[in-house]
Amino acid sequence: MPADPSSRIVGESPSRRAARAPRTAPSPQDQGAEAGAVEVRRSARRRRTVSAYREGDRTVVLIPARMSEAEEQRWVTVMLEKLAAQESKRMLGDAELAARAEWLSEQYLGGRARPATVRWVTNQNTRWGSCTPAEGSIRLSHRLQGMPEYVVDYVLLHELAHLLVPGHGPRFWRLLEAYPRTERARGYLEGVVAAGRLPHLSGSGDEQS
């Protein structure tokens, strides 16, 4: 999906390392996946803030020159997560969601899963997504809007797989093995569920269909 070149997130970080030239590195989020590279640009004038934006097929992360390698990796991951969440919330309407489902089916399921409809719903509060194979319909909870793109992709792919295999047996999970971020996305959603169960937070635990 196209990204807004002006997308930018700002954070805070201490400075620890001497300046060096910009470099290009694989994104920690995108290793083993289809996304592009990340270019880290260090600036001696940048003291505390960290920002990131899309530039063509790459992501540019701007950091203070004195930041350590460990801090750099941590902030690259943080900024990629925030950009992905921002883009998912801003860009995916029902039409884009259907197009994304078609792409995911081609990429990971050999194009065999062909839903008749894919849409967001606001009345699905106990599941992240649901599928009715007889109708070829897929519905995603609106609560996924704003989550990282790879999480939305995982839920979409999960429901697409249900068009081919109705249950959650070994054959079903083998279909999802092709998606490189399955475990990461499941961990993210489990974290959201766990946070929802804390006494000081509202919300209830939700399970994937």
Side-chain angles (χ1 to χ4, degrees), residues 33-50:
E34 70 282 352
V38 173
E39 180 178 332
V40 178
R41 297 178 185 173
R42 291 176 174 259
S43 170
R45 293 182 298 176
R46 184 176 290 267
R47 299 296 181 183
R48 295 177 59 83
T49 61
V50 178

Side-chain angles (χ1 to χ4, degrees), residues 13-65:
S13 172
S15 301
R16 292 186 185 173
R17 179 141 185 190
R20 68 168 183 245
R23 66 185 185 85
T24 301
S27 156
Q29 176 179 335
D30 296 327
Q31 288 176 353
E34 70 282 352
V38 173
E39 180 178 332
V40 178
R41 297 178 185 173
R42 291 176 174 259
S43 170
R45 293 182 298 176
R46 184 176 290 267
R47 299 296 181 183
R48 295 177 59 83
T49 61
V50 178
S51 60
Y53 61 91
R54 306 295 193 194
E55 188 176 82
D57 62 353
R58 72 178 59 235
T59 302
V60 177
V61 180
L62 307 175
I63 64 174

Side-chain angles (χ1 to χ4, degrees), residues 1 87-94 96-97 120 145 152:
M1 286 176 286
E87 291 164 0
S88 177
K89 185 174 184 178
R90 182 177 62 247
M91 298 177 64
L92 286 181
D94 285 351
E96 290 84 0
L97 200 63
W120 296 106
Q145 293 175 329
V152 178

